[in-house]
Amino acid sequence: MKLRSYQQAAVDAVYDHLRNRDDNPVAVLPTGAGKSLVLAKIASDAVGQWNGRVLILAHVKELLEQNADKVRRLCPDIKVGLYSAGLKKRDTNTPVLVAGIQSIYKRACDLDPFDLIVVDEAHLISKKGDGMYRQFLADCKVINPHVRVIGLTATPFRLDSGMICSPEHFLNQVCYEIGIKELIRDGYLSPLISKAGVNRADFGGLHLRAGEFVSEEVESLVNDDALVSAACGEIVELTADRRAVLIFASSVAHGRRVVEVLRENHGIECGFVTGETPAGERDELLSRFRGDAPTSLIETEPLRFLCNVNVLTTGFDAPRVDCVVMLRPTMSPGLLYQCVGRGFRLHPGKENCLVLDFGGNIERHGPIDQIKPKDKAARPGQEPPAKECEKCHALVACGYANCPECGHPFPPPEREAHDAQASEAGVLSGEVTDTEYDVQDIIYRVHRKRDADEDAPRCLRVDYMIGLERWQSEFICIEHSGYARRKAEAWWSERCLDPCPSNAEEAVDIAGSGLLAATETLSVRSISGQKYDRIIKQTLGDIPNAALEEAPF
C-alpha cells in the first residue's frame, strides 16, 4: 500500500514534531482522506523501525476494524491485537493494539506500557472534566511518563470548548492540515453540490439546551405529516439519478415516518438504522447499502435509500453514497461536517455528491470547508423590548409587523449595511447559486450609513419581501455624485416617468405615492462563504402614469 503525497506529508510532519518538540501533535485530514492509512504507517514505523509499542484508540467498532485492517495490510509481519467488547476481542500484549475507548478506559494498569498512543477522531477528547479519554491517557502517562500522544481528526474543534489544541491539553499543536477543496481539486475526494430543501420547517424559534436544539421542539416541528410528505416527495424528485441516498433524521419517530412515507407514497424501500437496531439487522442493511457482495446464498438487492438517527456520522464507510440528506437541524458544525463527510469518498461512476439540506444547517454554519468554532465571547445583543413607529411614534412590542396604532408597516429587522440573508448556501465556499423569487412586498425608506456624519449623503433603501421573514435589500445612491448618482438615475428612469430626485426623502415620498413601477421578481446571487447576496436581475411591472393617477373621474 503506497501512501498518497499528502498522507506521506502528514506522517513526515508528525515525525518532525515528535523529534523537535516535547508535546503532542494533531494532524487534520478531511473525512475520506485516508486517516486510517496515516495512522497505520505511523504505527508500523514505530514498531518496525524504533522497536516501540503502539496503542490506537477509537470510539466505534467500524473504526477499530478499519484501523486494524490497514496496519495488517501495510505491515503483515507485525502482530495486531484488538480490544473491544463489541467485537468480542480481549488482546492485551501485542506490539500494536487497536482498542475501543469504552472497553479500555478503566484498564490502563492491566496493560503493558505504550510508547505511542494514536487517537482517531481526536476531537472527542474533552479539554476539561474527567471523560474516558482523559482518564485513560492520564493513567497511561503515570505508567510511562514519556508516552507520546498523536491525534488525527477532520474537525480540530469542539462545540463546547473551541479548538482542541492548547498548551494544557493532551493535544498541543496542529502539525499538519490539508483542506477539502485541495483534495477535490487533486481528484482525491468527490466534488460536492448542494441544494436547500424547499419543504422545511422554520427553526428560528427553537431553544437551546447544552448547546444543541431542544430535541422535543425539533420533533414537534419536523414530524408534521404534511411536512414529511412534502419533503420526501422533494427528495425522491431530486435523487432520481442518485445511487445511494443517506438520510439523517432528527429522531426515531421522525425516521420511521420518513421510511413509511417513502414506502407508501413512492414505493421505495428505505432501510432504517438507530442505536437500538440489532447488530445482525444493522450489518445486513449496511452491507446492502454499501453494495457489498452477498455473503449467503440468498440474493438481496442493493439498498438505494438508508435513513439513520445519530449512528452513521463517524466510522461508516460507504463510498457509493452520492447524496446526503439533512432532515434535521444542528447547532454543531462538527456534526454537520461529519454527516456531509459520508459523501466525500470517490467511487466508480460517481460524478459528485449532492447535499440536500432541509435543516438550514449550511446557512447556519457556512461552507463546510470554512467551518470554525464560534467565539462565545462575541454574543449578539438582545433585541430591545419595544420599537418606535416612524410615522406616529408609538412605542409597540417588537413582535408587530404593522403599527397597531396607525397601521404603518415596520421595516424588516436592521442588519449590517447591505446585509442579506443567504437563500441557498453552498456546501463549499465559492459555490454560486442564482435563485429567482416572487416579490411579495416592497418597503422604501431613507438610509444613512452607520456612524456616518449628519451631512453625509443618504440612500434610498428598498427592501423586497421574497419569502416568509425573508428580505433582500438594495441601496440607491440618490444623494451621491459621480458614478453612484448615474447608477441611481438609471435605476429611477426604469421605474418612474418623473426625473430622479436629488433628495432621499423626496424619493421615498414619490415611491410611497405609487409612482414607481413595482418589482415583480428578483434573481439573487449567493456565493458561499461571502457575506452578502446580490441582486443580479429584476422584472418590473408597468410604469405608473402620474397624469392618469391624478385625473378626476
Side-chain angles (χ1 to χ4, degrees), residues 31 246 248 312-316 318 321 338-345:
T31 300
L246 181 60
F248 290 89
L312 301 181
T313 54
T314 57
F316 176 58
V321 170
Q338 294 290 353
C339 293
V340 172
R342 299 311 104 196
F344 282 176
R345 289 177 171 82

Side-chain angles (χ1 to χ4, degrees), residues 201-216:
D202 179 5
F203 301 107
L206 294 179
H207 296 88
L208 301 180
R209 181 189 297 150
E212 185 56 282
F213 291 121
V214 176
S215 58
E216 296 85 358

Side-chain angles (χ1 to χ4, degrees), residues 207-424:
H207 296 88
L208 301 180
R209 181 189 297 150
E212 185 56 282
F213 291 121
V214 176
S215 58
E216 296 85 358
E217 295 181 357
V218 174
E219 172 83 13
S220 66
L221 275 178
V222 302
N223 213 17
D224 175 78
D225 284 345
L227 185 62
V228 172
S229 296
C232 285
E234 192 176 345
I235 292 168
V236 171
E237 179 183 353
L238 295 173
T239 60
D241 60 344
R242 299 287 157 173
R243 295 187 294 178
V245 181
L246 181 60
I247 301 172
F248 290 89
S250 66
S251 67
V252 173
H254 181 222
R256 284 176 179 154
R257 184 62 188 142
V258 169
V259 171
E260 290 172 3
V261 169
L262 289 173
R263 181 182 65 247
E264 295 171 1
N265 294 3
H266 304 280
I268 290 175
E269 180 189 7
C270 179
F272 188 43
V273 177
T274 74
E276 303 301 318
T277 304
E281 179 183 346
R282 169 180 164 143
D283 291 344
E284 180 185 353
L285 287 171
L286 298 189
S287 177
R288 289 179 59 199
F289 186 67
R290 284 192 296 254
D292 297 343
T295 57
S296 67
L297 297 176
I298 301 175
E299 290 288 336
T300 56
E301 294 184 2
L303 198 60
R304 271 191 70 218
F305 286 76
L306 180 63
C307 182
N308 81 104
V309 181
N310 293 330
V311 293
L312 301 181
T313 54
T314 57
F316 176 58
D317 186 0
R320 66 192 291 267
V321 170
D322 56 0
C323 180
V324 174
V325 181
M326 291 294 292
L327 277 178
R328 56 160 297 177
T330 179
M331 282 298 294
S332 169
L335 178 60
L336 171 62
Y337 180 98
Q338 294 290 353
C339 293
V340 172
R342 299 311 104 196
F344 282 176
R345 289 177 171 82
L346 301 173
H347 192 265
K350 176 178 171 180
E351 294 183 4
N352 55 50
C353 179
L354 172 65
V355 179
L356 297 180
D357 184 14
F358 289 82
N361 298 296
I362 299 170
E363 290 175 289
R364 189 174 298 116
H365 299 295
I368 59 169
D369 59 314
Q370 294 185 351
I371 283 179
K372 295 177 181 177
K374 292 181 173 58
D375 182 3
K376 292 190 174 185
R379 295 182 182 275
Q382 291 186 334
E383 189 179 38
K387 56 188 176 183
E388 180 181 354
C389 174
E390 62 184 27
K391 185 173 183 180
C392 72
H393 302 288
L395 284 174
V396 300
C398 280
Y400 283 98
N402 299 307
C403 176
E405 299 295 329
C406 68
H408 181 71
F410 286 110
E414 189 73 60
R415 302 190 186 107
E416 291 185 21
H418 301 268
D419 192 1
Q421 192 69 28
S423 56
E424 291 192 35

Side-chain angles (χ1 to χ4, degrees), residues 24-138:
N24 301 318
V26 174
V28 180
L29 295 98
T31 300
K35 292 191 296 294
S36 294
L37 196 55
V38 171
L39 65 84
K41 174 63 173 172
I42 293 171
S44 62
D45 284 350
V47 175
Q49 297 187 32
W50 304 306
N51 198 31
R53 186 162 185 257
V54 181
L55 172 67
I56 299 172
L57 287 175
H59 68 294
V60 293
K61 69 174 186 177
E62 288 83 4
L63 286 176
L64 301 180
E65 293 172 318
Q66 288 176 29
N67 293 339
D69 178 65
K70 290 294 193 299
V71 178
R72 292 181 182 121
R73 292 170 63 187
L74 191 66
C75 195
D77 296 333
I78 295 176
K79 189 173 181 181
V80 179
L82 272 170
Y83 196 113
S84 168
L87 296 173
K88 297 181 173 57
K89 293 284 189 178
R90 290 288 193 278
D91 299 325
T92 58
N93 57 3
T94 54
V96 176
L97 183 63
V98 181
I101 186 62
Q102 298 93 332
S103 301
I104 207 172
Y105 77 100
K106 291 183 178 179
R107 294 179 168 81
C109 297
D110 299 336
L111 308 169
D112 293 333
F114 295 100
D115 301 293
L116 190 65
I117 299 175
V118 184
V119 182
D120 200 358
E121 306 291 348
H123 58 277
L124 295 176
I125 305 176
S126 174
K127 286 179 70 173
K128 54 186 178 181
D130 299 317
M132 290 185 288
Y133 279 104
R134 292 187 67 86
Q135 178 179 333
F136 180 79
L137 293 174

Side-chain angles (χ1 to χ4, degrees), residues 418 420-426 430-437 466 472 522-528 530-537:
H418 301 268
Q421 192 69 28
S423 56
E424 291 192 35
E431 183 179 338
V432 178
T433 304
D434 294 341
T435 309
E436 184 175 290
Y437 298 96
I466 56 176
Q472 176 70 38
L522 289 181
S523 292
V524 179
R525 172 163 293 171
S526 303
I527 301 179
S528 185
Q530 295 188 7
K531 192 171 184 180
Y532 309 117
D533 291 351
R534 182 163 59 91
I535 297 172
I536 59 172
K537 184 180 178 183

